[in-house]
């Protein structure tokens, strides 16, 4: 690998012609870090059909674009082969990915291939006296590690860590269109199909009100209670993993480490214990209300309001109150 440059690379994650919002967060932060290091922020956009996306990457000082037929960088073997070839030739100081399933796959493999350190789940990245310092979240947010990065490194950054606005710009960045730097034939993995959410089902990451149900809901039939409460609050039902594993709700309703990260204005946790893997996905909600029969349930540590109570009693009472409130308001 050539001598390390001062450039900060941002991996541009995209799907169906749309750049993921966290990419703009990274571009904005990348500008700040690159300026402090005396380098440039470089957007790296890969994959068949990537070229038109360059128009949305004006916050970058320059863009590296590899747009080749049948190239899908979300297939880790292919994405990393190309990223490795680019990075070995240009030696960026930092390469930042979103801490998404695609970003994690690429970042971990790239770190191994290049022999560079990897700092995962960063909540913050800053410069202190010319040193790059990252705050890495571990154990579902229970531990924060402050990591000083002396040289070149790979980062994954949590979505929502930085504002989007500084990463948006109308300007047209200079683009370097690069032919595929390594052949993709003969690779052992390929994308067969993209599993889409069930048609008509909701995107819980966009809901302003979520009613989360856990194992405390006890039976599938009791979900109707949560649905009714969610309906009256103008929200949607989501769930902890055991509820999804039972097949009571589709996978795209799961909140947590192996599900969705949500930040609604209101999160009502019904019969959810508050395991770290669940809390990781909902702790940044504006207001959290928990109902649980166990006063020691960890969900109460993150809740703004809590009731030590049986949800099968409280929810019907809440529903009646809300209906009465709606009727008197009409
Ligand atoms: P439980 O822990 O069984 O809690 C049920 C709660 O309901 C209890 O606190 C109980 O007091 C309460 N309760 C019972 N009856 C009532 C009642 N009538 N009224 C009120 N309260 C009642 N979990 C996730 O949720 N999302 C993830 O993405 C996720 N990813 C994971 C990834 C890994 C690698 C691993 C190892 C685990 C993961 N888990 C995930 C599982 C996680 O560790 C917990 O097992 C899970 O979150 C527990 O779900 P729960 O709170 O619904 O169930």
């Amino acid at each position: 690998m050539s001598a390390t440059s001062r450039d900060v690379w941002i991996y541009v994650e995209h799907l169906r012609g749309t750049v993921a919002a966290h990419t703009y967060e990274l571009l904005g932060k990348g500008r700040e870090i690159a300026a402090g290091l005396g380098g440039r922020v470089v957007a790296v956009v890969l994959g068949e059909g990537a070229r038109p996306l360059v128009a949305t990457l004006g916050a970058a000082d320059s863009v590296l674009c590899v747009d080749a037929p049948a190239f899908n960088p979300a297939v880790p073997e292919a994405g990393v082969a190309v990223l490795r070839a680019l990075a070995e030739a240009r030696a960026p100081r930092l390469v930042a990915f979103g801490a998404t399933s695609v970003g994690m796959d690429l970042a971990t493999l790239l770190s191994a291939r290049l022999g560079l350190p990897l700092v995962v789940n960063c909540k913050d990245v800053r410069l202190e006296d010319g040193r790059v310092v990252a705050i890495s979240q571990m154990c579902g947010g229970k531990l924060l590690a402050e990591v000083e990065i002396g040289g070149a490194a790979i980062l994954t950054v949590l979505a929502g860590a930085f504002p989007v606005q500084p990463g948006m710009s109308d300007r047209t960045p200079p683009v370097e269109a690069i032919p595929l730097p390594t052949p993709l034939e003969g690779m052992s993995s390929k994308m067969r199909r993209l599993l889409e959410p069930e048609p008509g089902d909701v995107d819980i990451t966009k809901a302003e009100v979520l009613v989360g149900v856990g194992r405390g809901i006890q039976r599938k039939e009791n979900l109707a209670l949560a649905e009714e409460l969610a309906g009256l609050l103008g929200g949607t039902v989501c769930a902890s993993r055991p509820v999804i594993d039972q097949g009571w709700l589709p996978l795209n309703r799961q909140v947590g480490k192996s599900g969705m990260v949500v930040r609604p204005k209101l999160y009502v946790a019904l019969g959810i214990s508050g395991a770290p893997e669940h809390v990781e996905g909902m702790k940044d909600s504006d207001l959290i209300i928990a109902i649980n029969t166990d006063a020691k349930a960890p969900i109460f540590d993150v809740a703004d309001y809590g009731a030590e109570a049986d949800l099968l009693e409280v929810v019907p009472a809440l529903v009646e109150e809300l209906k009465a409130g709606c009727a008197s308001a009409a």
Side-chain angles (χ1 to χ4, degrees), residues 75-289:
V75 175
E77 199 179 359
V80 168
V82 171
L83 282 166
R84 178 186 186 173
L86 296 177
E88 281 180 341
R90 293 151 197 261
R93 170 73 190 273
L94 297 174
V95 186
F97 297 82
T100 61
S101 51
V102 170
M104 292 296 283
D105 276 351
L106 294 175
T108 46
L109 272 176
L110 188 63
S111 153
R113 299 276 195 274
L114 296 176
L116 291 179
L118 170 68
V119 188
V120 296
N121 294 336
C122 296
K123 275 178 79 100
D124 195 14
V125 186
R126 57 179 188 267
L127 276 183
E128 282 179 14
D129 303 325
R131 296 167 305 131
V132 178
V133 175
I135 305 296
S136 161
Q137 179 177 292
M138 297 189 288
C139 300
K142 288 198 164 181
L143 287 177
L144 293 178
E146 190 174 282
V147 184
E148 189 179 317
I149 305 164
I154 316 285
L155 310 176
T156 69
V157 180
L158 295 170
F162 308 119
V164 168
Q165 210 50 43
M168 312 282 284
S169 167
D170 291 338
R171 77 181 257 286
T172 308
V175 185
E176 201 179 327
I178 303 167
L180 208 53
T182 179
L184 299 177
E185 296 84 37
M187 292 202 168
S188 58
S189 51
K190 64 174 184 178
M191 175 76 96
R192 289 185 62 186
R193 71 189 167 108
L194 186 66
L195 294 174
E196 306 265 17
E198 290 171 23
D201 205 13
V202 289
D203 179 355
I204 60 170
T205 63
K206 299 211 166 71
E208 296 204 332
V209 175
L210 284 172
V211 175
V213 292
R215 213 189 318 242
I217 197 84
Q218 295 170 22
R219 298 208 316 269
K220 187 178 183 187
E221 298 73 59
N222 292 337
L223 275 178
L225 274 177
E227 297 280 3
E228 194 170 14
L229 179 61
L232 286 162
L233 294 171
T236 300
V237 172
C238 59
S240 67
R241 183 161 156 178
V243 172
I244 305 297
D245 286 350
Q246 299 262 25
W248 294 352
L249 283 170
L251 186 59
N252 61 355
R253 303 281 190 110
Q254 180 174 319
V255 170
K257 188 185 189 74
S258 43
M260 304 287 183
V261 175
V262 296
R263 286 183 192 81
K265 290 189 172 148
L266 171 63
Y267 190 92
V268 184
L270 303 177
I272 293 177
S273 59
E277 295 84 2
H278 184 81
V279 168
E280 185 172 333
M282 46 65 77
K283 65 178 184 319
D284 293 326
S285 305
D286 288 350
L287 183 76
I288 300 171
I289 300 176

